[in-house]
Amino acid sequence: METVLSGLATGFAVALTPLNIFLVLIGCFSGTLIGALPGIGPINGVAILLPIAYGLGLPPESALILLAGIYYGAEYGGRISSILLNVPGDAGAVMTTLDGHPMALKGEAGRALSLSAVASFVGGTLAVIGLSLFGPLLAKFAVTFSPADYVALMVFAFASLASLVGRNGIKTLLGAVIGLMLATMGIDANTGVPRYTFGIPDLLAGIDFLVVVIGLFGMAELLHLVEQQVSGRLKTLPVDRSFLRRADLLRTRWTILRCSVIGFFIGILPGTGASVASAVAYGTEKRLAGKSGASFGTGDMRGLAAPEAANNAAAGGALVPMLTLGIPGSGTTAILLGALLMFNVQPGPLMFTQRPEIAWGLIASMYLGNVALLIINLPLVGLFARMLTLPQHYLTPLIAMLAFVGVYSIVGNPFDLYLIILLGIFGWVLRKLDFSLAPVILGFVLGSLFENNLRRALSISAGDWGILIEDWKSNALYGLAALVVILPAWAGRRSARAAADAVED
Amino acid sequence: MVDRIFAGLLLAVTLGYGWLAFTVIRAPFQYDPLGPESWPRILSVLAALCLAGILWKPDVDRFDTRGGTWLRLAAIVALLVGYAGLYEPLGFVLATLLFGTIAARLLGATLVRAGVFGLATGVLGYLLCAGLLDLNLPEGPLPRL
């Protein structure tokens, strides 16, 4: 407890400097704007703005504060297009459309927006509290991890990724392996041997992280937008004057609290982010509601509050493994982790003690950010809703411009402009074939960490692979990995059988 | 079918990757049990196993993209390549002006609005990014005029 309080004191000392307060506000505001754009989710927003945040020459903690603000700001903003337009910004916002849009159709758009803002606020804030309590504890424990334990941790991360993300586990796993393979390009740091560089000097240092991120999440998204572009205008519902009532909050308070907790813990699981959390929360609430759950999907307030509380809590929860273990909990946190690596900061258990200004500064800034988001979201929602009417034919060239500015100004090599187009086409094909892209970036970011720990572990044991299963910590993690693969498969089979029985009845 | 074609292509890449890992990559001398080649070897085997799984049980049959959409996608990719090619020679302002105008027009804006949009992104984008945010952007021939 004492470490938490002194840590928070350090953190607020960092977060309350004028520059950082300004960055929190800017991050939250632009994050909400980006999240409100139809079709663009937090991961694309962070990817496109990452190089610009890096190029500003800020100290690492400030850049991270800005990027994290964009991240959870976009989680907030995503609900606006879900509710008013029925178009989710990303997978995490899909559940919000189920009850949010029907409420807006009933003429309760303002009520839906304000309720979801409060649910997001509670989810986000509880997650930050959880992060401040669990983070240092987990970090303290993780300091004792040996290289072999880290290997087990990675196996667990990829297992939960393959089992919980996407429809096809094999494709998710393959995506992660593609990311790991991309990460092997360049000079091997241990021996100085060049790998897969084909004699091209541009590739000696490997493919730049920024290029991969912008290619996969900026350019591929752009192609996706062009493909999906519908002729004619999407119809936005107006923001009306209805507003949240006291009774609404009383009615949804337990839903919001429960789903925040669910979201936070699902967010902590490595690899699984907001999309899994909001789906699980929605399903749980529907089941708990029993008979009255029949109104879910027709504009039930609980059905709106549940996924919103959960996805914002998951956004905070996903930061726990990133800050304490150096293993990102979602695609977006993988990008944040890559951003820290660009600043030569290695996230991991020692960060809480060695770079407290970064770990605690970020946490403190998130307390401020959530309050700021609630305050700017309630009255300004009409302004953000305007973003929905920004026509696609302006949005698409703007994304291209931002992507080019980002890559050129940081990497400064025209060769990379072609590379992002190529990666964009590759990412677009992957998406068309039902691969999710988050595992690719996760694999890319974790590649060297995974490889180095494996090599270190085997160096310690002088080549004996048995070291990988020697320690109880690694074995516990392998057990968890097996559990996370088996449980969902078992539950899926059971519900399939239940459905079959129901048909027979 | 598309799944199988894509998996087949990736398999060819993976085999090449694996071949390099198993034959070419080697450290001149090393003390550690695992050299630079071990990790790529593991990955190539894993990737090949996943690909075999997809080849055996594909789940996406074909792209549901229609003819017109393909054309629009091809056009935007061509535009992006042109933008990349002209980025340094023409400089940010002119390249963005051209790209913004043509792209907006292509995607459905009227000619006048597309032109205004292109001009605005070129000039305002430069002022914002190079002026206010101090990012490094290509100037092109404009300052010399």
Side-chain angles (χ1 to χ4, degrees), chain A residues 168 171 184 195-196 226 408, chain B residues 3 17 33 36 59 65 72 88:
Chain A
N168 186 337
K171 287 190 168 176
T184 56
R195 298 189 291 189
Y196 305 107
V226 170
Y408 186 86
Chain B
D3 241 3
Y17 181 92
D59 59 3
T65 310
R72 206 167 53 205
E88 272 196 333

Side-chain angles (χ1 to χ4, degrees), chain A residues 119-213:
Chain A
S120 299
F121 169 74
V122 177
T125 306
L126 283 181
V128 191
I129 295 175
L131 175 59
S132 346
L133 294 178
F134 285 105
L137 273 180
L138 194 57
K140 212 172 189 180
F141 180 56
V143 174
T144 63
F145 274 28
S146 65
D149 296 334
Y150 260 97
V151 172
L153 192 62
M154 285 317 162
V155 171
F156 170 53
F158 286 112
S160 64
L161 198 68
S163 142
L164 299 174
V165 177
R167 258 177 300 177
N168 186 337
I170 295 183
K171 287 190 168 176
T172 309
L173 195 61
L174 179 63
V177 176
I178 290 175
L180 291 171
M181 283 163 75
L182 282 175
T184 56
M185 293 173 84
I187 289 187
D188 171 40
N190 292 0
T191 53
V193 175
R195 298 189 291 189
Y196 305 107
T197 55
F198 309 106
I200 304 171
D202 287 326
L203 289 177
L204 280 180
I207 300 185
D208 202 282
F209 168 73
L210 269 177
V211 171
V212 176
V213 166

Side-chain angles (χ1 to χ4, degrees), chain A residues 300-316:
Chain A
D300 192 300
M301 280 184 301
R302 289 167 299 174
L304 171 65
E308 272 309 309
N311 71 18
N312 286 280

Side-chain angles (χ1 to χ4, degrees), chain A residues 310-334:
Chain A
N311 71 18
N312 286 280
L319 286 170
V320 174
M322 185 205 117
L323 288 176
T324 57
L325 305 170
I327 310 251
S330 67
T332 319
T333 41

Side-chain angles (χ1 to χ4, degrees), chain A residues 303-374:
Chain A
L304 171 65
E308 272 309 309
N311 71 18
N312 286 280
L319 286 170
V320 174
M322 185 205 117
L323 288 176
T324 57
L325 305 170
I327 310 251
S330 67
T332 319
T333 41
I335 297 184
L336 293 180
L337 182 101
L340 278 179
L341 292 177
M342 285 167 54
F343 283 104
N344 284 325
V345 177
Q346 175 71 55
L350 294 176
M351 204 165 81
F352 275 91
T353 42
Q354 285 178 353
R355 302 296 294 264
E357 80 282 8
I358 296 179
W360 286 109
L362 173 68
I363 293 174
S365 83
M366 289 177 70
Y367 282 99
L368 301 180
N370 272 303
V371 176
L373 276 169
L374 185 67

Side-chain angles (χ1 to χ4, degrees), chain A residues 168 170-171 184 188 195-196 226-227 229 393-394 398 404-405 408-409 414 418 428 432-433 451 455 458-459, chain B residues 3 6 17 21 32-34 36 39 50 59 63-65 72-73 83 85 88 107 109 113 117 121 136 138:
Chain A
N168 186 337
I170 295 183
K171 287 190 168 176
T184 56
D188 171 40
R195 298 189 291 189
Y196 305 107
V226 170
E227 190 201 352
Q229 193 185 32
H393 48 256
Y394 299 140
L398 275 179
F404 272 50
V405 166
Y408 186 86
S409 63
Y418 295 108
W428 177 78
K432 287 295 282 182
L433 294 175
E451 179 179 8
R455 283 163 86 165
L458 285 177
S459 296
Chain B
D3 241 3
F6 183 70
Y17 181 92
D32 294 330
L34 290 192
W39 179 243
C50 288
D59 59 3
F63 282 170
D64 47 352
T65 310
R72 206 167 53 205
L73 281 169
Y83 188 26
E88 272 196 333
L107 296 172
R113 289 192 172 203
F117 169 76
T121 32
N136 166 38

Side-chain angles (χ1 to χ4, degrees), chain A residues 5 16 41 74 125 131 139 154 160 199 201 211 258-259 269 274 308 323 328 426 445-446 470 473:
Chain A
L5 288 180
L16 286 175
T125 306
L131 175 59
M154 285 317 162
S160 64
V211 171
R258 260 196 308 269
C259 292
L269 276 186
E308 272 309 309
L323 288 176
F426 181 66
V445 168
L446 290 180
E470 229 162 47
K473 277 181 295 210

Side-chain angles (χ1 to χ4, degrees), chain A residues 60-83:
Chain A
E61 66 273 13
S62 301
L64 190 67
I65 284 173
L66 175 65
L67 286 169
I70 296 170
Y71 172 33
Y72 52 80
E75 287 295 347
Y76 259 73
R79 76 214 155 80
I80 300 176
S81 67
S82 300
I83 291 173

